[in-house]
Amino acid sequence: MGAKSCIIIFFFMVLATSSPSTGRKKQYKSCKELLLYFHDVIYNGKNKENATSAIVAAPEGANLTILAGNFHFGNIAVFDDPITLDNNFHSKPVGRAQGMYIYDTKNTYTSWLGFTFVLNSTDYQGTINFIGADPIMIKTRDISVVGGTGDFFMHRGVATLMTDAFEGEVYFRLRVDIKFYECW
Amino acid sequence: MGAKSCIIIFFFMVLATSSPSTGRKKQYKSCKELLLYFHDVIYNGKNKENATSAIVAAPEGANLTILAGNFHFGNIAVFDDPITLDNNFHSKPVGRAQGMYIYDTKNTYTSWLGFTFVLNSTDYQGTINFIGADPIMIKTRDISVVGGTGDFFMHRGVATLMTDAFEGEVYFRLRVDIKFYECW
Amino acid sequence: MGAKSCIIIFFFMVLATSSPSTGRKKQYKSCKELLLYFHDVIYNGKNKENATSAIVAAPEGANLTILAGNFHFGNIAVFDDPITLDNNFHSKPVGRAQGMYIYDTKNTYTSWLGFTFVLNSTDYQGTINFIGADPIMIKTRDISVVGGTGDFFMHRGVATLMTDAFEGEVYFRLRVDIKFYECW
């Protein structure tokens, strides 16, 4: 093996190890992917048994049994929603989505999300932590996967959200396409 | 040094640099570890001087001087808690744990945490940022360390929480075993 | 090329690939930097049209049209603030800062931040996600950039905040110097 081969190896490896900081977005291949759904039933004063989330904060003049006017600006909801593998609310849950969403805009529906997927199935045991802005009226929205534990130890990635269904202001279902780019 | 040695080096290094994405969880060695405690005294209408946290949001029908029924579902508490090196509330604090917790489940005690350790001691100056789900009734719970500043610049890791003590609904102490796996 | 050169390459590369875990803080060079401002106009009962944020939670005894006493301890505000390239409130926004801040200390002004920059300009399309403690009375404060999407896909870094202006308890402007150290 002469100088040439060694130099080729050298450049190949510089390329390989530096790619995280020089590459362009979107051409990256994910190291793991999960497609999950979660289902949110907002408490509206009449559905105490079925509700999976509750409005716990509201701007001045609003109350906690109905989402506020002005595109719900100022509402904070806390949730513990079932996660399923398909879009059927009655499918056996594989875990719970737990955290909060905040409606933070006065002239359109936009929320800010901070939540965790707590997965507890034969396939996956562990948690995935998310934060990000969710401009609800846009078809697909990307948020950050900022960490994980258990089977998702130290993982990072991007999750693409789609509103898969919503019924009035009581139910919505989010499709979450999670792509991990750091897998450990 | 011939072709063989160079190839060995080559494979050794490919292994070394790719380990983050191929290894299995839990066999990783942390690059830094911290064991800390923090102490939370919830305001209950009578302990204004000593309280380090306050309930600031609650579901419909609940109030802000007592944790809500239904496993406190819907309560948000804001806190500024002393951090100590041991489990003694009266030890000299090395910093403050600041942020919020949310009780987000109707059928057990589970909270969602978003908070920062602001450390300010002779040993450490800097901040550590955490988010994650905290299923309180389980003995040890893992949350994500998603970033840091100062001495913890760009750090990531996992923190294992244990409830070290709790007294009624006024005081609890959390043991936080922080393991950093990205140290910079 | 003999054994010596190959060994030199070997050590050079070990150095290069291991630097993230062995280097000291602050000597790192950022791979991308952004300097932005955002402007927060708090609703105070009289400025419904102009307000970009609202108090949505408060401790017991406080209300939602004025920040609470005790250094606003226990207030949560939700915001959708314009982001500008300079410190002029009337400059054309390049995006929105969306999320929440929490006043979490009883004896000084400190907040905890969870928010997203949603950038939508000719220069940048994408989101940047932040969390961290903000000890407002200190001149410069560092928080974590924990993830991003679009042009900021998978980015991480540190943002340095400065209060660039504030007027009573109605307006403040934050200067945000974002330094990314993981760029992808």
Side-chain angles (χ1 to χ4, degrees):
Chain A
M1 187 175 182
K4 213 169 167 183
S5 328
C6 215
I7 287 171
I8 289 169
I9 289 173
F10 172 69
F11 281 109
F12 168 74
M13 294 184 61
V14 167
L15 205 70
T17 57
S18 66
S19 59
S21 51
T22 56
R24 290 301 302 161
K25 65 178 188 289
K26 303 215 166 170
Q27 70 202 33
Y28 288 99
K29 250 189 77 174
S30 60
C31 44
K32 198 181 291 179
E33 191 165 346
L34 281 179
L35 181 60
L36 296 167
Y37 294 81
F38 72 94
H39 307 260
D40 191 79
V41 181
I42 308 166
Y43 176 66
N44 65 357
K46 299 171 211 159
N47 56 353
K48 199 174 170 58
E49 290 308 308
N50 297 325
T52 63
S53 71
I55 305 167
V56 302
E60 189 251 330
N63 69 51
L64 301 178
T65 45
I66 189 163
L67 289 162
N70 283 324
F71 300 91
H72 315 330
F73 178 63
N75 277 140
I76 299 181
V78 165
F79 61 91
D80 168 43
D81 292 349
I83 301 170
T84 57
L85 294 174
D86 59 22
N87 67 2
N88 188 338
F89 180 69
H90 298 290
S91 294
K92 185 174 156 49
V94 294
R96 310 293 293 189
Q98 300 180 329
M100 63 169 179
Y101 51 85
I102 296 174
Y103 288 98
D104 58 15
T105 310
K106 289 195 299 184
N107 54 6
T108 185
Y109 293 105
T110 300
S111 71
W112 191 83
L113 305 170
F115 66 97
T116 301
F117 272 13
V118 182
L119 295 177
N120 187 11
S121 70
T122 47
D123 289 330
Y124 292 108
Q125 297 277 341
T127 69
I128 307 170
N129 292 313
F130 304 82
I131 74 169
D134 180 16
I136 300 167
M137 305 309 282
I138 295 173
K139 191 172 179 193
T140 64
R141 302 87 70 175
D142 285 348
I143 62 174
S144 289
V145 177
V146 297
T149 68
D151 287 341
F152 308 99
F153 174 78
M154 290 289 288
H155 285 38
R156 291 182 70 231
V158 169
T160 301
L161 309 180
M162 284 181 65
T163 304
D164 198 57
F166 75 95
E167 293 169 15
E169 296 186 341
V170 172
Y171 174 73
F172 67 77
R173 180 170 66 235
L174 283 188
R175 181 185 186 276
V176 187
D177 185 358
I178 305 169
K179 291 196 174 79
F180 296 105
Y181 296 93
E182 291 186 9
C183 285
W184 289 69
Chain B
M1 186 173 180
K4 212 172 171 183
S5 328
C6 214
I7 286 170
I8 289 170
I9 289 173
F10 172 69
F11 280 110
F12 168 74
M13 294 184 61
V14 167
L15 206 69
T17 56
S18 67
S19 61
S21 51
T22 56
R24 289 302 302 161
K25 66 179 186 291
K26 301 214 167 172
Q27 71 203 32
Y28 288 99
K29 250 189 76 176
S30 60
C31 44
K32 195 181 293 180
E33 191 166 346
L34 280 179
L35 181 61
L36 297 166
Y37 295 81
F38 72 94
H39 307 261
D40 191 79
V41 181
I42 308 167
Y43 176 66
N44 65 356
K46 299 170 209 156
N47 58 353
K48 198 175 169 61
E49 291 307 308
N50 297 324
T52 64
S53 70
I55 306 167
V56 302
E60 190 252 330
N63 68 50
L64 301 179
T65 47
I66 189 163
L67 289 163
N70 283 326
F71 300 91
H72 315 331
F73 179 63
N75 276 140
I76 299 180
V78 166
F79 62 93
D80 169 41
D81 292 348
I83 301 169
T84 57
L85 295 174
D86 59 22
N87 67 1
N88 188 336
F89 180 68
H90 299 289
S91 294
K92 186 173 154 49
V94 295
R96 311 293 294 186
Q98 300 180 328
M100 63 168 181
Y101 51 85
I102 296 173
Y103 288 99
D104 58 15
T105 312
K106 288 196 297 184
N107 54 6
T108 185
Y109 293 104
T110 300
S111 72
W112 192 83
L113 305 170
F115 66 98
T116 301
F117 272 14
V118 182
L119 295 176
N120 187 13
S121 71
T122 47
D123 289 331
Y124 293 108
Q125 298 277 341
T127 70
I128 307 170
N129 293 313
F130 304 82
I131 74 169
D134 180 16
I136 299 168
M137 306 309 282
I138 295 173
K139 193 173 178 193
T140 63
R141 300 88 72 178
D142 285 348
I143 62 172
S144 290
V145 177
V146 297
T149 68
D151 288 340
F152 308 98
F153 175 78
M154 290 290 288
H155 286 37
R156 291 181 70 232
V158 169
T160 302
L161 308 181
M162 285 181 64
T163 303
D164 197 58
F166 76 94
E167 293 167 16
E169 295 186 341
V170 172
Y171 174 72
F172 66 78
R173 181 171 65 236
L174 282 188
R175 180 185 187 275
V176 187
D177 186 359
I178 305 169
K179 290 196 175 78
F180 295 105
Y181 296 92
E182 291 187 7
C183 285
W184 288 68
Chain C
M1 187 174 181
K4 212 171 167 182
S5 330
C6 215
I7 287 171
I8 290 170
I9 289 173
F10 173 68
F11 282 109
F12 168 74
M13 293 185 63
V14 167
L15 206 70
T17 57
S18 67
S19 59
S21 51
T22 57
R24 290 300 303 160
K25 67 181 186 289
K26 302 216 167 168
Q27 71 202 30
Y28 287 99
K29 251 190 75 176
S30 60
C31 45
K32 196 182 290 180
E33 191 166 346
L34 280 180
L35 181 60
L36 296 167
Y37 295 82
F38 73 92
H39 307 261
D40 190 79
V41 181
I42 308 166
Y43 176 65
N44 66 357
K46 299 170 210 158
N47 57 354
K48 199 173 169 61
E49 290 307 309
N50 297 324
T52 63
S53 70
I55 305 167
V56 302
E60 189 252 331
N63 68 51
L64 300 178
T65 47
I66 190 162
L67 289 163
N70 285 325
F71 300 91
H72 315 332
F73 178 63
N75 276 140
I76 299 180
V78 165
F79 62 92
D80 169 41
D81 293 348
I83 300 169
T84 57
L85 294 174
D86 59 23
N87 66 3
N88 189 338
F89 179 70
H90 299 290
S91 295
K92 185 175 158 48
V94 294
R96 311 292 294 188
Q98 299 180 330
M100 63 167 179
Y101 50 87
I102 296 174
Y103 288 98
D104 58 15
T105 312
K106 288 196 297 184
N107 54 6
T108 186
Y109 293 104
T110 300
S111 72
W112 191 82
L113 305 170
F115 66 97
T116 301
F117 272 13
V118 182
L119 295 176
N120 187 12
S121 70
T122 46
D123 289 330
Y124 292 108
Q125 298 277 341
T127 69
I128 307 169
N129 292 313
F130 305 82
I131 74 168
D134 179 17
I136 300 167
M137 307 307 284
I138 294 173
K139 192 171 179 195
T140 63
R141 300 90 69 176
D142 285 347
I143 62 173
S144 290
V145 177
V146 297
T149 67
D151 288 340
F152 308 98
F153 174 78
M154 290 290 287
H155 285 39
R156 290 182 70 233
V158 169
T160 301
L161 308 181
M162 286 181 64
T163 304
D164 198 57
F166 75 93
E167 293 168 16
E169 296 186 341
V170 172
Y171 174 73
F172 67 78
R173 181 171 64 234
L174 283 188
R175 180 186 186 276
V176 187
D177 186 358
I178 305 168
K179 291 196 172 80
F180 296 105
Y181 296 92
E182 290 186 8
C183 284
W184 288 68

